[in-house]
Amino acid sequence: MIIDTHAHYDDERFDDDREELLTGMKAKGIDIIVNASATVKGCFDSLALAEKYDFVYTMAGIHPSDTLDLEEPGVFEEIKKVAAHKKCVAIGEIGLDYYWDEPDREIQKKWFAEQLDFAKEIGKPVNIHSRDAAADTLDIMKAEGAKDLGGIIHCFSYGTEMAKEYLNMGFHIGVGGVITFKNGKKLKEVVEYAPLDRIVLETDCPYLAPEPYRGKRNQSDYLHMVAEEIANIKNITKEEVVRITRDNALRVYGINV
Ligand code: NI
């Protein structure tokens, strides 16, 4: 069975068929879904999903593009309450996004550091979003002692040199639909390079559907295609990819099944 380590089922694109889709996942070989939070509302919506479905877990955290919301008094305290819930297995997604490049980088950096700090305080791993911000992400992680936290670099988009740095810090590489793209050469190299026991599967659905669904709404069972592609790259069976990435996900999130 496959674990989806990063999904967004609270997204409105699932409003019409969320229940049907989620309850049908087990029959399609997906038995655990970790839903990520990005916004303040998302933290609560995601928690509600984790409370409704036993196979759904959640994260609490604010995406770098939404960190301005954390400047409001009391907001971070609310997030902290969600993070303490027993079905909240990580702080995320948190990080830096210089592709969209707002809010101001100083605000993004401040709240990335604060949320890493909080993860340390509460003893939970982190799920990191880092886009066009490799060096700053690494600097802040080192300064905050992220090595002791563990976690996942979600939707890994850098090359093998950076992968090496994050792997050295004990982090896992999140691999999704991009691995099936014709222009996904850089990620294919990273997957070839990284040991399988440090790779986890993730959809980031509704975004980043793999081929042949590229551009359409993504969903967790499409991870079969991602596992297949990793198996091709590593020249092993798909079953082995599923088994080991599953163990990795359970270990990194501390989920007992
Ligand atoms: Ni995401």
Side-chain angles (χ1 to χ4, degrees), residues 6-8 36 63 93 129 154 204 207:
H6 185 122
H8 296 276
H63 185 285
E93 56 186 291
H129 170 107
H154 135 72
D204 203 21
Y207 311 103

Side-chain angles (χ1 to χ4, degrees), residues 9-256:
Y9 282 104
D10 52 304
D11 191 280
E12 61 184 13
R13 287 172 72 184
F14 293 111
D15 282 355
D16 290 339
D17 60 350
R18 184 177 294 107
E19 169 89 16
E20 193 189 339
L21 200 58
L22 285 173
T23 52
M25 275 304 159
K26 229 164 238 175
K28 293 172 180 167
I30 315 295
D31 70 337
I32 293 176
I33 293 166
V34 182
N35 204 69
S37 294
T39 62
V40 178
K41 182 179 180 292
C43 283
F44 290 94
D45 291 348
S46 183
L47 178 64
L49 287 175
E51 284 180 323
K52 183 169 182 189
Y53 303 101
D54 61 350
F55 58 93
V56 175
Y57 292 80
T58 190
M59 305 178 209
I62 302 298
H63 185 285
S65 305
D66 285 277
T67 42
L68 256 191
D69 291 344
L70 285 167
E71 297 280 315
E72 292 291 320
V75 168
F76 197 21
E77 300 310 313
E78 290 297 310
I79 307 296
K80 287 180 177 178
K81 281 184 211 157
V82 176
H85 193 281
K86 67 177 192 302
K87 295 219 52 200
C88 177
V89 294
I91 303 305
E93 56 186 291
I94 60 172
L96 300 173
D97 194 319
Y98 294 171
Y99 177 80
W100 296 109
D101 216 14
E102 56 181 52
D104 191 89
R105 290 184 183 187
E106 291 312 310
I107 294 195
Q108 293 192 35
K109 287 198 245 182
K110 169 184 150 190
W111 286 107
F112 181 32
E114 290 277 348
Q115 292 183 94
L116 281 172
D117 217 38
F118 171 59
K120 226 182 317 173
E121 192 184 307
I122 197 173
K124 293 193 178 181
V126 287
N127 195 279
I128 292 180
H129 170 107
S130 177
R131 195 168 182 198
D132 291 352
D136 280 0
T137 304
L138 203 59
D139 285 349
I140 292 174
M141 285 171 70
K142 282 181 178 162
E144 291 296 321
K147 197 171 184 162
D148 303 327
L149 281 173
I152 297 165
I153 310 295
H154 135 72
C155 194
F156 196 83
S157 58
Y158 303 128
T160 49
E161 280 303 306
M162 269 298 155
K164 187 179 176 182
E165 297 271 2
Y166 290 112
L167 289 168
N168 282 343
M169 291 187 81
F171 272 72
H172 294 69
I173 307 281
V175 177
V178 175
I179 196 72
T180 67
F181 295 176
K182 281 196 183 69
N183 55 356
K185 187 168 166 273
K186 198 161 69 165
L187 183 59
K188 287 184 210 285
E189 284 169 5
V190 167
V191 164
E192 198 177 353
Y193 168 78
L196 188 59
D197 66 1
R198 301 290 283 285
I199 292 173
V200 294
L201 306 182
E202 58 165 42
T203 52
D204 203 21
C205 66
Y207 311 103
L208 297 171
E211 294 289 358
Y213 302 110
R214 188 173 182 179
K216 307 236 165 62
R217 188 184 74 171
N218 199 3
Q219 55 190 63
S220 300
D221 53 300
Y222 294 173
L223 284 176
H224 286 289
M225 290 151 228
V226 173
E228 194 75 59
E229 187 59 37
I230 295 174
N232 287 340
I233 293 167
K234 292 215 168 278
N235 212 5
I236 52 177
T237 63
K238 181 195 160 208
E239 287 65 34
E240 201 171 347
V241 171
V242 169
R243 182 174 55 83
I244 294 174
T245 57
R246 173 189 183 78
D247 287 347
N248 300 343
L250 293 174
R251 189 179 62 243
V252 70
Y253 286 138
I255 297 172
N256 296 310

